[in-house]
Amino acid sequence: MATAPPPAPLRFTGAAQLTSRLVLATLTGRPIRISQIRSSSHTNTGLSPHEVSFLRLLDTITNGSGIEFSMTGTTLVYKPGLIIGSAAGYGASGGVVKHELPRECARGVSWFLIPLCMLAAFSKAPVNVLFTGPGVITSSTDKGDVSVDTVRTAILPLYKSFGIENNIELRILRRSNPGPGGRGGGGEVQLVFGHQVRLPKTIHLMNPGRVKRIRGVAYATGVAGANNARMIDTARGVLNTFVADTYIFSDVSSAPLIAAPEKNNAAAKRKIGIGFGLSLVAESSTGVLYSADVASSSSGGEAPEDIGKACAYQLLESISQAGCASVVAAPTMLTMMAMGSEDVGRLVLSKDVLGTDGVIQLARDLRIYGMSGWGLRDGDGERDVVVSIVGRGVGNVGRKIA
């Protein structure tokens, strides 16, 4: 009996939305071909070190994946396999995947964590990944990556709406800010994601509610703890006017030591990832989360008061946009809605969030992968839009029961 030919790979161009497209390819089982990856660049042609590292991570947590790229790294062909997690070959108790990020990594570890969480929800077995190495940056970065604290307090709680809430933990074992030139950090983070489902629940989030409390984390790595007090005092001076229930935790840690061999001392080490930052999360009466993240630049020269004030105003701006999902949370929620059961889910988004490049491109990519189009109508608020998505029942092919 003749077998059906394998599906032709979906074709994309450019490095934009690379992780999102790889995640969608893995969840739907569709092979993809991405060409012209920074082909016009004379200094950084092709895949960057952090992108290659993400492909290695994909290969580790999946079984049967095929990854090919050209000599210059400007063309990538990815044939997805089954998401097996980190437990295969380690017995019933599961194992830990140790993933080391290279020193040249210029993206925060949240760039890896957010797509990994989406894959972990559909894994055949629990996912337990330890991010280590000289390239781990736990703070926010100037490239738009949020801090690990924001992932823990504003991204992971989103999965509860989809019926995924048990045995999920994000541990910050060692903090680090961006190193010289914004590259490298030397931090250490462990993600434990042990709750997998067959299909995510259908959600109907229509009421953003009113903000009732604000929580946050001020962190200082390798610098005086007084920087935290100054950031907290400035941020509270802005936020207490609007929300009295504001509490910001202070975390002070030493800077990580990274191997830096010298001519006369092969075992030499040096401190890297020195800096400070602030992560804030506001929670509404209906459970909607708004977040803000600001960290000191790797070049220095910023006062803690400026960081605290900038983060507080960034949070107020996120709250003013309203809707039931912030810019950071919207891609995760929209993707999970598209993968869920064959029912209509509804989510209220602000026009400011819906109109961002990332959300618009995600809608286009979902259509290319065979997902349903989005239905849009005006919400109750002046700037609210109700997004209706019919799930395709893709779910977890490795898990037979819910």
Side-chain angles (χ1 to χ4, degrees):
M1 183 177 179
T3 58
L10 302 176
R11 296 179 177 270
F12 300 95
T13 58
Q17 306 294 318
L18 180 69
T19 56
S20 175
R21 288 167 176 171
L22 290 172
V23 167
L24 292 177
T26 307
L27 294 178
T28 59
R30 295 294 302 272
I32 62 173
R33 184 180 189 273
I34 305 176
S35 58
Q36 300 179 27
I37 302 175
R38 301 185 185 90
S39 55
S40 59
S41 175
H42 299 290
T43 55
N44 298 305
T45 306
L47 294 167
S48 298
H50 57 272
E51 294 166 341
V52 175
S53 183
F54 184 77
L55 289 170
R56 286 177 41 238
L57 178 62
L58 268 183
D59 187 50
T60 302
I61 66 170
T62 59
N63 183 25
S65 296
I67 301 173
E68 302 174 6
F69 45 84
S70 62
M71 291 289 292
T72 58
T74 56
T75 301
L76 166 67
V77 177
Y78 174 61
K79 300 175 182 178
L82 181 66
I83 309 172
I84 59 171
S86 58
Y90 292 91
S93 62
V96 179
V97 171
K98 187 177 181 180
H99 187 69
E100 185 169 336
L101 300 186
R103 187 191 299 265
E104 297 78 16
C105 185
R107 302 301 298 263
V109 72
S110 63
W111 188 84
F112 298 84
L113 287 170
I114 294 175
L116 178 61
C117 289
M118 281 190 278
L119 294 174
F122 300 98
S123 174
K124 185 177 182 180
V127 171
N128 192 335
V129 180
L130 175 65
F131 289 91
T132 185
V136 178
I137 303 172
T138 64
S139 70
S140 59
T141 67
D142 55 4
K143 291 180 172 59
D145 304 316
V146 299
S147 68
V148 177
D149 298 283
T150 296
V151 176
R152 179 173 54 84
T153 57
I155 300 296
L156 290 183
L158 299 175
Y159 289 91
K160 184 177 181 180
S161 302
F162 299 96
I164 307 169
E165 55 180 316
N166 300 322
N167 303 321
I168 301 176
E169 186 179 0
L170 184 57
R171 305 166 183 164
I172 307 173
L173 306 178
R174 186 164 60 232
R175 291 187 177 274
S176 174
N177 282 56
R183 297 180 179 274
E188 197 168 285
V189 175
Q190 184 175 8
L191 173 67
V192 180
F193 206 111
H195 190 175
Q196 288 75 34
V197 294
R198 179 68 183 92
L199 284 173
K201 291 181 179 179
T202 303
I203 65 171
H204 301 277
L205 298 180
M206 307 290 289
N207 181 17
R210 298 177 65 87
V211 173
K212 62 179 182 179
R213 61 170 166 256
I214 296 175
R215 297 292 183 265
V217 177
Y219 49 88
T221 307
V223 296
N227 292 290
N228 281 353
R230 294 163 64 183
M231 286 188 292
I232 293 172
D233 185 63
T234 305
R236 285 180 60 91
V238 175
L239 298 174
N240 280 353
T241 306
F242 304 95
V243 182
D245 187 5
T246 301
Y247 180 78
I248 304 175
F249 177 75
S250 176
D251 187 0
V252 181
S253 59
S254 58
L257 287 170
I258 299 299
E262 299 176 354
K263 184 177 180 180
N264 299 326
N265 185 7
K269 295 183 178 181
R270 67 186 180 96
K271 291 184 176 181
I272 194 174
I274 299 173
F276 49 86
L278 180 62
S279 168
L280 296 174
V281 175
E283 182 182 355
S284 77
S285 56
T286 57
V288 177
L289 301 174
Y290 305 98
S291 61
D293 244 316
V294 180
S296 60
S297 172
S298 57
S299 58
E302 294 171 304
E305 288 82 2
D306 296 337
I307 299 294
K309 183 178 294 184
C311 193
Y313 283 131
Q314 188 182 111
L315 180 65
L316 293 177
E317 181 181 3
S318 179
I319 296 172
S320 69
Q321 291 175 351
C324 294
S326 63
V327 174
V328 176
T332 296
M333 300 194 72
L334 294 169
T335 302
M336 294 293 289
M337 291 171 67
M339 298 293 140
S341 57
E342 298 181 21
D343 195 1
V344 181
R346 296 176 178 86
L347 176 67
V348 172
L349 292 179
S350 164
K351 292 180 180 179
D352 297 322
V353 174
L354 186 61
T356 57
D357 293 340
V359 173
I360 292 175
Q361 189 59 55
L362 176 62
R364 293 170 177 167
D365 288 348
L366 285 172
R367 289 285 288 175
I368 295 174
Y369 280 96
M371 303 295 107
S372 60
W374 297 355
L376 305 177
R377 65 178 176 84
D378 290 335
D380 296 333
E382 182 180 349
R383 301 189 58 78
D384 288 344
V385 178
V386 179
V387 182
S388 302
I389 301 179
V390 179
R392 281 301 186 187
V394 175
N396 188 344
V397 296
R399 193 176 183 88
K400 300 305 180 185
I401 59 175

